[in-house]
Amino acid sequence: MNDQAHFRVRFAPSPTGYLHVGGARTALFNWLLARQAGGAFILRIEDTDRLRHVAGAEDKIIDDLRWLALDWDEGPQVGGDNGPYYQSQRLDIYERHVQQLLEQGKAYYALETPEQLDAMRAEARKAGTSISYRRPDPLPTIEQGLAAKEEGRAVVVRFKMPPDDIVVRDMIRGELVVGEGELEDFVIQKSDGWPTYHLACVVDDALMKITLVCRGQDHLSNTPKHVALQRALGFEMPRYAHLPLIFNMSGSKMGKRDKHTAVHEAAARWVRDGKWKPDDIAERAGVAADAAAAWFGDKKAKRKPEFQAMPVDGLLRLADAADVVLPEIDVHDFRASGYLPESLGNFLNLLGWSGGDDLEFFDRGHAVKAFSVDRIIKSNAKFDRDKLLSLNKDWCAKAPADRLLAAFKDWTRAAGSPMAALDDDTAARVLAACAGFRTFRDVQAKAGILFADDADIEYDPKAVKKVLAKNDGAGYATLERLHPELETVEPWTAEAIEAFFNETCEKTGAKLGDLAQPIRVAVAGRPVSPAIGETLVFLGREKTLRRIRNCLDGRQS
Ligand code: GLU
């Protein structure tokens, strides 16, 4: 048993968005700490920010945690002795603690108007200090606070910051000292009676008997406030470990903005190439003209806050129209792109942690044994998408066939792929025929059209020109010639079809590509598909012949 024995840790997401990869990494590290020494992993939903709440986000977060196989010992769906585990169901508990602090004179009702607070902020800006709130002297009494509330004024409760140094010993970052006067009296209860994050978090960490708080470094500046609150409430201080931040390879913060940037760049390209007019953007996105203009309008648009105001569905429609794949940010995005949870988990494990050896491909069992806080790296982690793709490729190549099949089927269903209807045997053959793929989306790109409706084929004009129309329509002539012959190939198996192509090559002196590529373009719209025998078996004889005929009938000279 080591120093880390029996940690009670928690993951405490706010449903103000879906599960970001940074959050997933925090959840994973906590889970590992709990699992390696018989501790407990608690899931707590911090849903007290009612303005920023995203409908359905808590369920999606829970679903994504389950997908990542991060199970919890206490929390939503499983219950536990320290619930409820949704903060919105614990308001009476917070109220009790606020009252205790008020009665003990450790907190007070603050009555400033928004204008007064603005004025304090402006003064602080002028003086170049981050401390803007000035504690009233004398403090309003409880009676004055209640009377002001009664009058309908916006009254908050502030914590009276004690004049002590606060020392936080972080297991990763070492000692952090905050001296007297460096923190202002912060709000612990909002005017609508709901607690702020600080109060709810501190109360819950104590009541849920958390012994180690392991969270992102973006919370480091909150920790001294939390420690001060713990002291005032007579709580024991848990240990702290703040995880390094995660950045894009370019050094920018990884977030929702990346999606807007990717689509914006693609849209700008389409406009530059003359394929779209700037006015098309609103229509393609299905949003009002002024919203589109704020997003796309002028050169500085990307720097303005409205840039991210384009609604998500509008952004998705634009991405689709501009043929751009959005950069994945949330776990949900990686699922949609067809990553395996095993590989995403493996990759997240390496964001800010290294086992001290070169081993980068490992499963959860290894991670539980190898993980330790002292190997967490202090410097920022970089999210290397190429590395994740190659890790996923390896995971797919090495996964047991039944596991890969199950994950693939889940994905086809979620993605609405026509391959969702395949029987297990065919689905497994599709995976084998696409071996070497990086994600399930690659499989879709290579084979999906074979199972879709004929009407879904989009002929790639470049491929049609090069493979079918060039040299006076040599490719079309090949289709005319092969069509009746394919009618007679027996049996309709990959082997027999391959044999037919090889014999035809021998007879005519053609190369396999001269025959197979026109067929591919005819049946798939592009010269890319699995091996020709498998391609045509997946299609079936009837569909193969029909697609070739349709292609010939629609021939454009
Ligand atoms: N609810 C906070 C968040 O989602 C986490 C707070 C914490 O871990 O203390 O950022």
Side-chain angles (χ1 to χ4, degrees):
M1 194 97 26
N2 60 22
D3 184 38
Q4 301 177 353
H6 303 300
F7 275 140
R8 276 181 66 84
V9 290
R10 81 325 189 255
F11 178 53
S14 301
T16 51
Y18 291 167
L19 182 61
H20 183 276
V21 282
R25 194 266 317 255
T26 300
L28 170 65
F29 283 14
N30 276 289
W31 183 92
L32 290 169
L33 288 165
R35 291 292 168 264
Q36 62 184 184
F41 178 52
I42 287 115
L43 176 63
R44 177 172 84 224
I45 305 293
E46 301 206 324
D47 53 352
T48 58
D49 191 340
R50 292 184 300 159
L51 289 177
R52 291 174 57 226
H53 183 257
V54 171
E58 46 279 83
D59 292 343
K60 193 80 193 92
I61 291 170
I62 287 174
D63 190 47
D64 287 341
L65 288 170
R66 293 228 180 270
W67 181 72
L68 282 168
L70 298 173
D71 59 326
W72 47 99
D73 306 298
E74 293 176 33
Q77 298 178 346
V78 304
D81 293 341
N82 303 285
Y85 295 93
Y86 287 85
Q87 289 189 328
S88 59
Q89 296 169 15
R90 300 171 62 82
L91 299 184
D92 53 331
I93 302 177
Y94 308 128
E95 175 64 23
R96 258 199 329 270
H97 287 86
V98 170
Q99 287 307 323
Q100 179 189 325
L101 291 172
L102 281 168
E103 280 157 23
Q104 294 174 345
K106 295 176 179 171
Y108 57 92
Y109 287 115
L111 315 180
E112 290 82 9
T113 61
E115 294 73 33
Q116 286 172 315
L117 292 171
D118 280 347
M120 286 191 205
R121 271 192 284 272
E123 256 177 61
R125 249 196 319 278
K126 238 194 266 158
T129 155
S130 60
I131 302 289
S132 72
Y133 185 76
R134 264 179 287 107
R135 181 183 299 165
D137 184 19
L139 288 179
T141 61
I142 290 184
E143 291 69 31
Q144 285 168 331
L146 292 174
K149 270 185 163 195
E150 219 27 49
E151 286 166 25
R153 286 170 59 186
V155 177
V156 300
V157 178
R158 284 186 184 260
F159 177 64
K160 196 173 157 204
M161 203 60 205
D164 309 320
D165 281 358
I166 293 170
V167 182
V168 180
R169 267 177 217 93
D170 185 272
M171 290 169 79
I172 300 165
R173 319 204 70 78
E175 202 169 88
L176 173 77
V177 183
V178 177
E180 184 188 346
E182 285 186 54
L183 291 176
E184 63 186 22
D185 293 353
F186 55 92
V187 178
I188 54 174
Q189 190 180 56
K190 294 176 258 186
S191 58
D192 59 5
W194 284 58
T196 58
Y197 154 66
H198 302 302
L199 182 94
C201 175
V202 164
V203 168
D204 288 349
D205 283 342
L207 268 51
M208 294 178 185
K209 307 180 187 76
I210 300 303
T211 58
L212 166 62
V213 171
C214 171
R215 60 186 173 193
Q217 201 194 310
D218 44 329
H219 286 290
L220 188 60
S221 61
N222 294 326
T223 304
K225 295 181 187 170
H226 295 187
V227 171
L229 264 178
Q230 284 153 6
R231 281 190 200 159
L233 287 163
F235 294 151
E236 231 172 85
M237 178 162 108
R239 301 179 79 177
Y240 282 98
H242 287 90
L243 303 173
L245 300 177
I246 303 172
F247 286 100
N248 287 314
M249 293 305 276
S250 64
S252 60
K253 204 170 153 236
M254 235 186 123
K256 184 168 91 169
R257 187 181 188 84
D258 299 339
K259 296 187 186 178
H260 287 267
T261 305
V263 181
H264 194 278
E265 281 170 8
R269 231 178 3 256
W270 284 68
V271 169
R272 211 170 38 241
D273 294 350
K275 292 184 195 148
W276 289 1
K277 289 201 272 326
D279 296 346
D280 292 343
I281 305 269
E283 200 188 310
R284 291 187 187 271
V287 301
D290 54 344
W295 182 81
F296 193 68
D298 59 65
K299 286 207 178 74
K300 292 197 195 109
K302 281 208 261 182
R303 274 183 262 145
K304 294 185 187 162
E306 298 89 323
F307 184 54
Q308 290 185 60
M310 165 78 76
V312 175
D313 48 350
L315 196 68
L316 290 174
R317 274 193 289 273
L318 267 184
D320 209 31
D323 220 0
V324 57
V325 178
L326 293 178
E328 300 94 346
I329 304 294
D330 296 327
V331 168
H332 153 88
D333 301 330
F334 289 94
R335 279 178 85 164
S337 288
Y339 284 85
L340 284 178
E342 292 89 332
S343 75
L344 185 61
N346 182 172
F347 179 76
L348 294 176
N349 215 144
L350 295 166
L351 288 178
W353 178 84
S354 128
D357 46 27
D358 289 336
L359 187 64
E360 298 219 310
F361 182 97
F362 51 80
D363 64 11
R364 203 55 73 69
H366 172 83
V368 169
K369 279 191 236 121
F371 191 77
S372 69
V373 175
D374 44 299
R375 296 215 63 92
I376 293 176
I377 297 156
K378 266 196 222 164
S379 52
N380 295 327
K382 287 247 164 100
F383 199 94
D384 184 344
R385 292 176 187 274
D386 291 337
K387 181 166 161 181
L388 171 57
L389 270 172
S390 105
L391 204 57
N392 199 63
K393 183 177 169 195
D394 289 351
W395 268 98
C396 289
K398 290 181 190 164
D402 53 345
R403 165 63 195 137
L404 191 66
L405 180 62
F408 179 58
K409 283 170 60 187
D410 278 353
W411 181 82
T412 56
R413 276 193 291 271
S417 161
M419 293 187 285
L422 300 184
D423 60 67
D424 284 5
D425 187 44
T426 311
R429 274 183 27 231
V430 169
L431 288 172
C434 296
F437 61 86
R438 299 167 309 169
T439 64
F440 292 142
R441 206 175 245 168
D442 285 355
V443 178
Q444 170 72 26
K446 197 165 176 185
I449 193 65
L450 305 177
F451 303 98
D453 290 341
D454 294 351
D456 291 339
I457 302 183
E458 285 174 19
Y459 286 98
D460 170 9
K462 273 198 210 127
V464 169
K465 199 162 153 202
K466 186 165 162 233
V467 180
L468 296 177
K470 213 170 70 181
N471 298 336
D472 285 334
Y476 284 119
T478 303
L479 295 182
E480 289 282 12
R481 206 177 63 234
L482 293 181
H483 186 275
E485 295 183 17
L486 284 168
E487 253 175 303
T488 62
V489 171
E490 283 300 341
W492 193 256
T493 59
E495 297 72 34
I497 295 168
E498 298 279 352
F500 160 75
F501 275 95
N502 289 334
E503 280 159 25
T504 312
C505 285
E506 265 169 41
K507 260 194 269 166
T508 60
K511 291 199 279 312
L512 181 61
D514 299 337
L515 306 181
Q517 293 305 71
I519 298 278
R520 280 202 174 91
V521 174
V523 301
R526 304 175 311 138
V528 183
S529 78
I532 194 68
E534 280 290 41
T535 296
L536 301 194
V537 168
F538 290 144
L539 277 166
R541 189 197 310 261
E542 196 188 324
K543 222 166 163 188
T544 300
L545 295 172
R546 193 172 65 230
R547 286 188 180 189
I548 294 174
R549 179 50 55 208
N550 289 348
C551 176
L552 284 166
D553 290 349
R555 166 179 189 168
Q556 282 147 15
S557 43

